[in-house]
Amino acid sequence: MSPAGNVLAVIRFELRRACSRGRLLWWVVLAGFPILLTLLIISVPKQSGVEPPREMWATILFLLCPMAVSMLGTFLYAAPAVSVELERKSWAYLAVRPHASTAVMLGKYLVAVLWAGSAACAGLTVSLLIARPDDMGALWWAMVRLIGLSCPAYGAAYLLLGTLFYKRAMIACIAYTLLFELAASFIPAIVNKFTIQFRLRGLFLQWAKIDVSSTDGLLLQLLGNSPPWVHVVILAGYTLVLLILAQIVLRWSEFTIADEATT
Amino acid sequence: MIEFENVTKLYGTVIGVNDISLSLPPGAYGLVGPNGSGKSTLLNMITGQLSPTIGRVRIFEESPIQNARLYRRLGYCPSSEGLYSDVSAIHWVTYLQELGGLSQAQARDAAHDALVQTGLKDVMQRPISTYSRGMRQRVKLAQAIAHNPDLLILDEPFSGLDPIGRNQMTMLLKTWLQEGKSLLLATHVLHEIESLTPAFLLMCGGRLLAAGNSNDVHGLLADVPNRITLCSSTPRPLAALLLEQDLGDAFAIHPDRIVVETQNPGRLFALLPELLKTTDCDVTELHSEDESLNALFSSLMKIHRGER
């Protein structure tokens, strides 16, 4: 079997495990999060008699689906991809099989993208059906494309961090999210252009047709004004580079579960 | 089959294995040593999970590091359990065989055959979480033999097994050896190896203390003091007799036995029957620690520590 066949074997195995009761419950929680908030929001304007504008729905759904759900979903699945095998001490079975460690890493990554992406898309679709904003179809398509870029990019970032800091994978990923993606991305300097969040924001404004022509220069620095293809190419490049780096780290690391290694 | 050339493995400043050189042709070998002696490090280097800090490791004349072709010839069963509790044995072993390079159908057939061979035919569809310790050990063995490797490497395969489980595992491994395959078995329980192979490697403190069969090590111990227990109803006269004939260096006298330490056990064994004929002393039982691999191990450990 080729290395690609190995990846397919991992995907089959992981998808079957993803259908366990516990993981399905997590999927429902993730998909239900934007739905619940949408229900709460629509209950408020109806009481005051004011309908929320389309831009508000677009922004809320962007923050919930391509951002929160995609980030959290890939974080839960991709960050511990390597560390969980080491903690469970199942790594030894993989390490002595041809290309298995690479296949497990990539297979789990793809399942993480699929798992988080499907939850985000399900949450988005139901939320839009509940909220029914103007131009709902275009908004749905814009968000689905953003989810399609967000999940692979965040999944690759968490996979690399989880492989690099496998003993503290979750802490490293939380620190990265808080310090880099949430804090640094809002600093109006060159550093924010290196964040995934900045690229997604730029795409969101253009694909969701949010008018920012009247905004001042400082705000534009936070939102970016590059054409969509630039953002897409940079995000795809990020994803590829992060996956290659994770693979290099994996090949250079000597993961061993031998007790003697620590004595 | 296995070649180590001056191999040293360091974990930072801690020595995992220390300057090991050995060359093993195909066959069955026991790797014996106490916990923390470097057995698992040695196995991890054989399976390519660790690379040596100094020296060179060759398995079937190839480097084991990232060597996909070589991995197909190795079957490895680690000491840790590491099983997925939420999947069935057939599912998990099939998955590992697919990762080993077999197609989905081939992997399923190989997994099925291996699980039947290890006596798990009737339970292979059940989740692993429902298995006993012995059944889980057999699942581990099944994943290692399913692809029919040339060399089977087992790290503490008897760990946690009850006597029946140990016997079943021994029978399985004997069957494996009868097929002409090679085996490297690491354990700290010596009689487990004796029942499978006389050839062994003895490790302690990251060093290879001895290699060969028990006869080779007997030769090494020719001039080493041995402790022999003689059960007798006349322990004091017997001790006096042996002392008079200069057959012991030290004696411990108990109501029903004496324990003799001697550097020349062969002379004692040769002269004892004649001495007993000419006196009223009797000996009902004779035990020599030197008669088991266990004694060889402890004796060599004492040599290594400079206690002898």
Side-chain angles (χ1 to χ4, degrees):
Chain A
M1 190 185 278
S2 63
N6 280 2
V7 175
L8 280 177
V10 176
I11 291 172
R12 276 197 300 272
F13 184 76
E14 288 296 327
L15 279 179
R16 195 181 292 192
R17 296 186 69 225
C19 294
S20 66
R21 196 182 305 170
R23 294 193 186 201
L24 282 175
L25 187 65
W26 266 112
W27 189 92
V28 170
V29 169
L30 278 177
F33 179 56
I35 298 168
L36 182 68
L37 283 181
T38 304
L39 285 169
L40 287 172
I41 290 165
I42 62 165
S43 66
V44 176
K46 277 180 181 170
Q47 286 169 359
S48 57
V50 180
E51 287 295 327
R54 179 185 175 278
E55 286 74 15
M56 191 204 87
W57 278 119
T59 306
I60 287 170
L61 289 174
F62 169 71
L63 291 174
L64 289 174
C65 296
M67 299 307 303
V69 175
S70 296
M71 287 170 91
L72 190 59
T74 51
F75 165 73
L76 289 172
Y77 224 114
V82 170
S83 63
V84 78
E85 300 289 347
L86 291 166
E87 283 169 17
R88 190 193 287 123
K89 299 186 175 181
S90 50
W91 187 259
Y93 301 101
L94 308 172
V96 294
R97 289 184 157 81
H99 317 298
S101 51
T102 300
V104 166
M105 197 182 75
L106 289 178
K108 283 190 168 191
Y109 165 75
L110 291 171
V111 172
V113 170
L114 195 65
W115 191 77
S118 61
C121 285
L124 168 74
T125 305
V126 177
S127 298
L128 278 173
L129 288 172
I130 294 167
R132 296 197 170 276
D134 296 339
D135 204 8
M136 191 168 75
L139 201 54
W140 181 84
W141 177 232
M143 293 295 171
V144 166
R145 281 183 290 169
L146 286 167
I147 291 167
L149 289 167
S150 160
C151 287
Y154 280 119
Y158 293 139
L159 188 74
L160 172 61
L161 290 167
T163 309
L164 204 55
F165 306 103
Y166 61 92
K167 287 183 179 171
R168 298 281 183 273
M170 304 307 257
I171 293 170
C173 291
I174 289 170
Y176 160 80
T177 306
L178 295 177
L179 298 177
F180 199 64
E181 287 299 324
L182 297 183
S185 74
F186 285 102
I187 297 171
I190 197 84
V191 66
N192 74 355
K193 291 183 172 58
F194 293 103
T195 64
I196 296 167
Q197 172 109 188
F198 174 82
R199 300 292 160 189
L200 290 173
R201 278 200 307 257
L203 284 171
F204 160 67
L205 294 174
Q206 296 180 67
W207 284 350
K209 296 184 175 62
I210 307 291
D211 183 17
V212 289
S213 56
S214 59
T215 54
D216 59 17
L218 184 67
L219 194 60
L220 271 180
Q221 275 196 308
L222 291 175
L223 301 174
N225 54 2
S226 304
W229 70 266
V230 172
H231 293 306
V232 171
V233 167
I234 289 174
L235 277 175
Y238 272 172
T239 304
L240 196 63
V241 167
L242 291 169
L243 286 176
I244 290 169
L245 285 175
Q247 167 62 17
I248 290 169
V249 171
L250 189 74
R251 284 183 79 88
W252 278 87
S253 301
E254 283 190 337
F255 298 126
T256 175
I257 56 170
D259 295 335
E260 288 158 284
T262 56
T263 56
Chain B
M1 180 176 72
I2 297 173
E3 285 178 56
F4 275 55
E5 286 179 22
N6 304 107
V7 171
T8 295
K9 178 64 187 178
L10 299 173
Y11 299 110
T13 56
V14 177
I15 296 176
V17 300
N18 191 357
D19 194 25
I20 287 183
S21 292
L22 62 90
S23 179
L24 301 177
Y29 302 92
L31 180 60
V32 189
N35 290 331
S37 60
K39 301 189 300 293
S40 294
T41 299
L42 195 80
L43 297 188
N44 282 332
M45 285 196 285
I46 290 172
T47 55
Q49 295 179 69
L50 294 176
S51 54
T53 311
I54 301 168
R56 192 174 74 142
V57 178
R58 308 287 285 177
I59 311 298
F60 294 118
E61 299 181 353
E62 293 184 64
S63 166
I65 304 294
Q66 305 280 350
N67 190 334
R69 188 175 51 196
L70 178 66
Y71 289 159
R72 294 192 176 96
R73 300 183 67 185
L74 300 181
Y76 177 52
C77 180
S79 58
S80 55
E81 198 158 80
L83 305 176
Y84 290 83
S85 58
D86 57 342
V87 300
S88 65
I90 182 73
H91 186 191
W92 185 67
V93 178
T94 301
Y95 167 60
L96 290 179
Q97 298 319 303
E98 282 187 78
L99 290 179
L102 301 182
S103 70
Q104 201 177 355
Q106 287 172 331
R108 192 165 179 89
D109 289 346
H112 182 272
D113 291 348
L115 288 165
V116 169
Q117 199 179 337
T118 51
L120 296 169
K121 184 183 178 185
D122 298 328
V123 295
M124 66 171 77
Q125 302 289 350
R126 270 172 36 190
I128 291 173
S129 59
T130 64
Y131 288 7
S132 68
R133 183 70 190 264
M135 290 159 82
R136 288 201 290 268
Q137 285 290 74
R138 281 186 274 168
V139 175
K140 285 169 59 182
L141 182 64
Q143 64 79 31
I145 64 173
H147 58 294
N148 201 23
D150 296 322
L151 170 60
L152 182 60
I153 300 165
L154 308 177
D155 195 355
E156 304 285 359
F158 299 96
S159 175
L161 293 184
D162 59 20
I164 295 170
R166 282 168 190 262
N167 184 258
Q168 288 171 336
M169 183 66 81
T170 302
M171 291 299 122
L172 276 169
L173 295 177
K174 280 183 175 173
T175 307
W176 170 265
L177 291 174
Q178 282 164 5
E179 292 170 4
K181 299 295 184 68
S182 294
L183 172 71
L184 179 60
L185 188 152
T187 181
H188 62 277
V189 183
L190 303 176
H191 67 82
E192 292 169 353
I193 285 185
E194 284 182 298
S195 62
L196 288 165
T197 174
F200 71 95
L201 312 165
L202 183 69
M203 285 192 75
C204 182
R207 283 185 177 276
L208 191 63
L209 295 183
N213 58 38
S214 52
N215 289 334
D216 293 334
V217 183
H218 273 282
L220 286 173
L221 292 170
D223 295 323
V224 173
N226 280 250
R227 187 172 290 183
I228 297 161
T229 302
L230 303 167
C231 295
S232 172
S233 60
T234 55
R236 285 185 179 278
L238 181 63
L241 179 67
L242 297 179
L243 186 60
E244 187 182 311
Q245 297 294 323
D246 195 22
L247 288 174
D249 304 319
F251 298 87
I253 301 171
H254 302 275
D256 58 344
R257 68 189 190 282
I258 62 169
V259 179
V260 185
E261 274 199 16
T262 173
Q263 288 203 345
N264 195 342
R267 185 163 170 261
L268 172 64
F269 294 142
L271 294 181
L272 190 61
E274 289 301 317
L275 288 172
L276 293 176
K277 275 184 194 172
T278 58
T279 64
D280 292 332
C281 297
D282 66 341
V283 174
T284 53
E285 285 180 41
L286 185 149
H287 303 285
S288 169
E289 290 178 5
D290 195 27
E291 284 178 357
S292 74
L293 202 54
N294 207 359
L296 296 179
F297 176 75
S298 60
S299 296
L300 281 166
M301 292 297 293
K302 286 177 182 173
I303 294 170
H304 179 71
R305 292 191 198 113
E307 294 170 11
R308 283 183 174 179

